[in-house]
Amino acid sequence: MKKIAVLTSGGDAPGMNAAIRAVVRTGLERGWEVFGVKLGFAGLIEGNINPMYDRSVSEIMQRAGTILGSARCQEFMEIEGRAKALQYLEENGIEALVVIGGNGSQTGSYALTQMGFPVVGIASTIDNDLYGSEMTIGVDSALNVALEAIDRLKVTASSHKRAFLIEVMGRHCGYIALMTGIAGGAEAIVLPEVETNPEELAAEILKAREKGKAHAIIVVAEGARYNAEELSHYFKLNRDKLGFDLRVSILGHIQRGGTPTLFDRMLATRFGAAATECLDRGEDGVLVGLGRGEIITTPLAEVVSNQKKLDLSLLHMNRALAR
Ligand code: F6P
């Protein structure tokens, strides 16, 4: 192996920079040339690729986002787009690609491997919904940002005896809502994985009021059947059913821009180093992830055809705790 390229794709995630740094420096350490692709797969199609050196990745570990930039690239979903990217890689003698990203990105990685190009994926998304890794880069930082917001909202909720609907990210997955809901002591957690009826939810909140609670925190995943906006619409029309004055807070992209935690920097560094190790031993077409605390690899074919499961026993545990 002489020349490899690295890119970040999909939603940015705190820790991506630490992964880029690890890929670049461990690649250079092996005596390879390492190239950085700007703006994900879009940069690959346009040939927006530059050589990277030790100093190109100095002082980036502590920065959220990605120094390479990221994009969701529709053109890469088409075979013509991928063929253009492949042509560019081959013309420039690049022999393998490291793709740092989540589900959509690894679907792109898999499609490239299907066309015969060696790719190693690195599990990175704040949603933590990627099969093949129990934790993905960025989720720990995003969880901590969301949790801090919940803690703050709880204080003001108590002062005013209010209920708060707090919507967190996660796309179709309830992981962020479940974790921050439990750690934030929420009275209710609304997930895409569990059908929640607004009327039953209101009854649960009313019960909290009757039990003497000064506040009610409802953490809602953005992908739930009823999101925060829809639930608040229902609650406003049925205020007597809730028993609290209601406020809504949608955390949105704030969750993606936090300083990477130590956990994310370590995870990303281990993943980045493992990716070049894989390429060195000729293992490609795989995702580098975490399994029982260890670095593992999973074939991309398996990653894209399986869905990660959420541990719903935790939701039942929280129902018992929110007394
Ligand atoms: O996949 C990460 C994520 O932040 C999801 O939680 C969210 O649904 C989505 O990206 C938002 O995408 P965009 O940044 O393109 O609006």
Side-chain angles (χ1 to χ4, degrees):
M1 185 74 56
K2 285 188 192 69
K3 284 188 183 181
I4 67 162
V6 56
L7 63 82
T8 48
S9 166
D12 64 346
M16 276 182 160
N17 282 329
I20 296 169
R21 175 178 175 270
V23 171
V24 170
R25 291 199 175 159
T26 59
L28 294 172
E29 178 71 16
R30 289 175 199 283
W32 303 342
E33 282 180 74
V34 184
F35 292 78
V37 183
K38 288 277 170 71
L39 295 172
F41 289 120
L44 209 53
I45 293 172
E46 287 155 18
N48 195 350
I49 303 181
N50 301 295
M52 297 192 80
Y53 309 102
D54 287 325
R55 297 285 76 74
S56 323
V57 290
S58 295
E59 294 179 48
I60 64 169
M61 278 258 268
Q62 67 277 25
R63 282 162 52 188
T66 156
I67 58 159
L68 291 175
S70 192
R72 302 191 193 279
C73 179
Q74 206 43 49
E75 203 184 341
F76 200 77
M77 301 294 158
E78 314 295 329
I79 183 116
E80 293 79 13
R82 291 198 296 278
K84 248 199 234 174
L86 267 189
Q87 191 185 343
Y88 183 86
L89 287 166
E90 278 161 11
E91 277 170 10
N92 288 277
I94 294 171
E95 294 153 276
L97 182 67
V98 176
V99 173
I100 305 168
N103 269 313
S105 311
Q106 303 311 342
T107 303
S109 302
Y110 179 58
L112 262 192
T113 64
Q114 291 286 86
M115 294 167 84
F117 195 81
V119 183
V120 168
I122 290 183
S124 175
T125 161
I126 67 156
D127 302 334
N128 204 25
D129 60 347
L130 187 60
Y131 186 87
S133 195
E134 61 197 20
M135 287 296 273
T136 51
I137 297 171
V139 64
D140 187 62
S141 309
L143 288 174
N144 281 293
V145 169
L147 184 60
E148 189 185 339
I150 292 170
D151 288 346
R152 290 177 184 209
L153 292 168
K154 201 171 186 175
V155 171
T156 183
S158 285
S159 304
H160 292 273
K161 294 206 183 312
R162 283 176 177 158
F164 262 88
L165 272 170
I166 307 169
E167 187 178 289
V168 295
M169 277 188 163
R171 203 179 286 275
H172 306 300
C173 171
Y175 183 83
I176 299 179
L178 185 57
M179 294 300 127
T180 57
I182 294 171
E187 274 60 42
I189 304 172
V190 182
L191 306 175
E193 291 82 356
V194 179
E195 182 74 34
T196 307
N197 163 335
E199 208 164 336
E200 282 166 14
L201 185 61
E204 252 181 85
I205 300 307
L206 187 61
K207 226 188 277 164
R209 176 78 181 198
E210 287 165 359
K211 282 192 269 183
K213 289 208 174 197
H215 60 250
I217 298 295
I218 309 157
V219 178
V220 187
E222 64 174 354
R225 160 93 169 75
Y226 298 96
N227 64 18
E229 206 180 307
E230 290 155 344
L231 287 173
S232 88
H233 181 70
Y234 172 86
F235 291 157
K236 276 181 186 148
L237 294 176
N238 299 276
R239 200 194 165 283
D240 52 316
K241 290 194 180 165
L242 198 64
F244 283 95
D245 195 13
L246 181 77
R247 293 291 184 273
V248 182
S249 191
I250 297 174
L251 302 186
H253 289 81
I254 283 173
Q255 293 158 96
R256 290 225 305 249
T259 304
T261 57
L262 179 138
F263 181 89
D264 274 328
R265 295 183 208 188
M266 281 301 301
L267 189 71
T269 300
R270 291 173 74 196
F271 281 1
T276 63
E277 240 174 75
C278 280
L279 290 174
D280 208 13
R281 62 170 177 261
E283 184 184 2
D284 58 67
V286 293
L287 178 82
V288 172
L290 195 73
R292 297 176 184 266
E294 303 288 332
I295 299 291
I296 55 167
T297 56
T298 308
L300 285 167
E302 225 178 282
V303 171
V304 301
S305 55
N306 281 286
Q307 226 182 346
K308 191 167 169 182
K309 295 252 168 4
L310 196 61
D311 179 2
L312 292 177
S313 70
L314 294 173
L315 184 67
H316 299 299
M317 178 188 80
N318 196 60
R319 286 197 180 125
L321 292 170
R323 295 171 55 79

